[in-house]
Amino acid sequence: MNFTKICVLGLGYIGLPTASTFATHGIQVVGVDVNPNVLATLRRGEIHIHEPGLRETLEAALKTGNLTINETPREADAFIIAVPTPFHEDKYGDYNGKQYKLADMRAVTSAAESIVPVLRKGNLVVLESTSPPCTTLELLVPILEKSSLKAGIDFYLAYSPERVLPGQILRELIENARVIGGITPESAAVGRDLYAIFVKGKIITSDATTAEMVKLMENTYRDVNIAIANEFARLADRFGVDIWEAISIANLHPRVKILSPGPGVGGHCISVDPWFFVETAPDLSSLIYAARRVNDSQPNFVLELVKKAVGSLKGKNIAALGLAFKPDVDDIRESPAVEVIHLLQAEGANVKAFEPFKPNADLPGVTAVPSLAAALKDAAVVILLVNHTELRALTPEKLVTMTPARILVDTVNGWAGKDWKAAGFNIHSLGVNK
Ligand code: SAJ
């Protein structure tokens, strides 16, 4: 099938790069978002998120005239839904006393509903948002069929997850392998035609539920592997071992690749997606559930580490370096760093946080200061929470001139290998008890 015009619903971390990339590949794209601030920012040619290369791609897309920004969908050959699927903050499921989080599918539901009036015979609809298994068949089909068109007969419908890594989205969007799961083989084939416009990686077709499951399996696999690394760090602490040394030796084994422990797992994907399995099949997901609990409780392990290093936190000035959920991105969603700060504050500490990628971060309950110097100047303790290149590059010689603090807590192994002692610092690293 040939596509001249498409509509992308949701202009966030995935929708915006996707819309811009289609536009720079000669497709007319209507980018739709419900947030008026996002629309206004994009219309000015500015971006509301930090992603290397995104501004340039957006500028190029707007310059071609192929990308227009709109409040509501317009008639098009294809519709791509790329809206968020977070979990409910205030609702939980329960399975034998084990609480689990529930997916909030309201954005997907309303995006699908907004397509109904403009859906025409022969159109393709693709859901990209990470979703619980069977969402395409059980949630989307009934909504889209309100148009009086039959899914799989009058219009094509597929699920195709994005699998790009924040920080490398524009490159991975093009180069990564992509799975297109159709509700019929024809839907998958038409979906393949759409993404073949810019995807250079392998495109694999399958059914919709397989594609949904593939996405959840990838992130769950990573979550479980990070959980074991975090549990190993706790064990190393118990047994007087340096976990980083132990991991580097274990990873010499040709079939072992242990990931890195840290302050926890954040972001809008890995800390969220495994719950979609737990929610839909709690009786079959005990390992997944346990891994989630380990990673979610890792900020408490960091708190204990800080308490061991400092003693009582009451009234202590702490500089918390990094708020993002991982290195070299500005994304603070579900960030374990923020969780650690809340725990420190609950113990009575005065925390000043600095996030180099978002110096003006405005977070409820967190005092974010605009510079490293402001965070450090009256600190008694400095905690490295995110392994940002800029923070990792700090040297003992530099830090000693910036802060009266002499206690350092490194939760990400970013300051290893430097002679902090010689500069008068006492350093405590997560997973290192040697
Ligand atoms: N983390 C660790 N230790 C590690 C690796 C990561 O503690 O060894 C932490 C990070 O600091 C972060 C969290 O895990 O808090 C997640 O970071 P990440 O880099 O593993 O993943 P994301 O969330 O940025 O992106 C993931 C990717 N999925 C996989 O690698 C299987 C990406 O390909 C997906 O597209 C993305 O989720 C998504 O959108 O689902």
Side-chain angles (χ1 to χ4, degrees):
M1 183 170 155
N2 280 328
F3 298 91
T4 46
K5 185 171 175 187
I6 68 166
C7 206
V8 178
L9 292 91
L11 297 175
Y13 280 89
I14 301 304
L16 185 57
T18 304
S20 306
T21 305
F22 271 115
T24 56
H25 283 72
I27 304 296
Q28 285 173 46
V29 182
V30 181
V32 178
D33 204 286
V34 292
N35 183 332
N37 296 332
V38 169
L39 296 175
T41 308
L42 295 175
R43 282 185 177 128
R44 288 196 304 270
E46 291 167 19
I47 51 175
H48 55 296
I49 45 187
H50 171 87
E51 176 61 32
L54 181 56
R55 180 182 296 276
E56 293 76 8
T57 310
L58 175 69
E59 266 167 23
L62 291 168
K63 212 186 234 164
T64 59
N66 282 341
L67 178 63
T68 50
I69 310 291
N70 210 27
E71 286 80 7
T72 50
R74 292 276 186 265
E75 280 188 28
D77 302 316
F79 299 88
I80 295 176
I81 301 175
V83 296
T85 48
F87 40 67
H88 284 284
E89 290 300 336
D90 47 358
K91 277 193 223 160
Y92 293 91
D94 189 291
Y95 178 72
N96 288 345
K98 288 180 175 168
Q99 279 209 326
Y100 55 84
K101 301 188 180 184
L102 298 170
D104 179 350
M105 301 302 288
R106 283 176 293 185
V108 172
T109 302
S110 62
E113 281 168 349
S114 75
I115 295 173
V116 172
V118 285
L119 188 64
R120 301 288 174 260
K121 223 174 161 150
N123 283 173
L124 165 70
V125 180
V126 183
L127 175 63
E128 285 202 16
S129 313
T130 306
S131 302
C134 304
T135 294
T136 309
L137 287 175
E138 291 174 7
L139 183 72
L140 278 197
V141 168
I143 295 174
L144 295 171
E145 288 191 343
K146 287 183 193 162
S147 62
S148 309
L149 299 172
K150 279 239 82 33
I153 295 170
D154 298 321
F155 66 93
Y156 304 103
L157 178 59
Y159 180 79
S160 181
E162 53 76 17
R163 299 140 106 189
V164 289
L165 198 68
Q168 303 186 29
I169 291 179
L170 287 152
R171 186 177 58 75
E172 290 204 358
L173 206 54
I174 292 173
E175 291 178 5
N176 283 4
R178 180 143 208 148
V179 57
I180 318 274
I183 62 157
T184 57
E186 296 74 32
S187 290
V190 170
R192 175 203 288 269
D193 293 342
L194 175 65
Y195 287 97
I197 290 169
F198 68 73
V199 171
K200 295 210 168 73
K202 198 171 173 174
I203 301 180
I204 302 111
T205 52
S206 183
D207 63 86
T209 310
T210 300
E212 289 164 347
M213 205 169 150
V214 164
K215 169 70 188 186
L216 298 180
M217 280 165 46
E218 291 165 354
N219 281 353
T220 302
Y221 172 85
R222 197 156 167 85
D223 196 43
V224 172
N225 278 285
I226 298 169
I228 192 102
N230 283 334
E231 205 155 272
F232 285 153
R234 298 176 192 187
L235 293 167
D237 189 61
R238 167 80 53 89
F239 298 131
V241 165
D242 175 338
I243 190 61
W244 304 97
E245 180 192 5
I247 289 177
S248 70
I249 299 169
N251 281 351
L252 294 174
H253 187 291
R255 286 175 295 285
V256 173
K257 176 81 191 75
I258 300 168
L259 295 176
S260 304
V265 169
H268 50 296
C269 309
I270 298 196
S271 65
V272 178
D273 301 358
W275 289 115
F276 293 179
F277 276 138
V278 178
E279 170 179 355
T280 42
D283 53 327
L284 301 175
S285 325
S286 52
L287 174 64
I288 298 171
Y289 179 89
R292 275 285 70 238
R293 284 289 179 237
V294 168
N295 288 335
D296 270 355
S297 63
Q298 193 68 354
N300 296 80
F301 181 64
V302 172
L303 175 68
E304 291 312 312
L305 179 68
V306 179
K307 280 174 31 186
K308 245 195 269 169
V310 181
S312 165
L313 299 182
K314 214 165 174 47
K316 285 264 158 44
N317 290 343
I318 298 185
L321 305 189
L323 285 169
F325 85 90
K326 70 173 199 172
D328 296 333
V329 300
D330 77 335
D331 193 340
I332 296 176
R333 287 178 292 178
E334 311 294 331
S335 175
V338 174
E339 186 62 30
V340 170
I341 291 168
H342 286 147
L343 292 173
L344 295 170
Q345 289 176 160
E347 296 277 329
N350 307 315
V351 183
K352 281 188 185 150
F354 171 61
E355 171 45 62
F357 285 88
K358 232 182 206 162
N360 299 314
D362 183 15
L363 274 172
V366 174
T367 309
V369 293
S371 69
L372 183 60
L376 292 171
K377 74 173 190 309
D378 51 8
V381 183
V382 180
I383 305 187
L384 180 61
L385 289 170
V386 185
N387 211 356
H388 287 312
T389 309
E390 177 182 335
L391 299 176
R392 189 171 58 231
L394 281 169
T395 58
E397 299 73 32
K398 170 97 178 143
L399 201 63
V400 83
T401 64
M402 297 181 79
T403 182
R406 290 298 171 263
I407 300 175
L408 307 180
V409 179
D410 178 359
T411 67
V412 289
N413 206 34
W415 287 339
K418 293 177 185 167
D419 197 351
W420 297 97
K421 272 212 177 90
F425 288 107
N426 208 337
I427 184 160
H428 303 261
S429 303
L430 181 133
V432 180
N433 184 10
K434 198 173 172 178

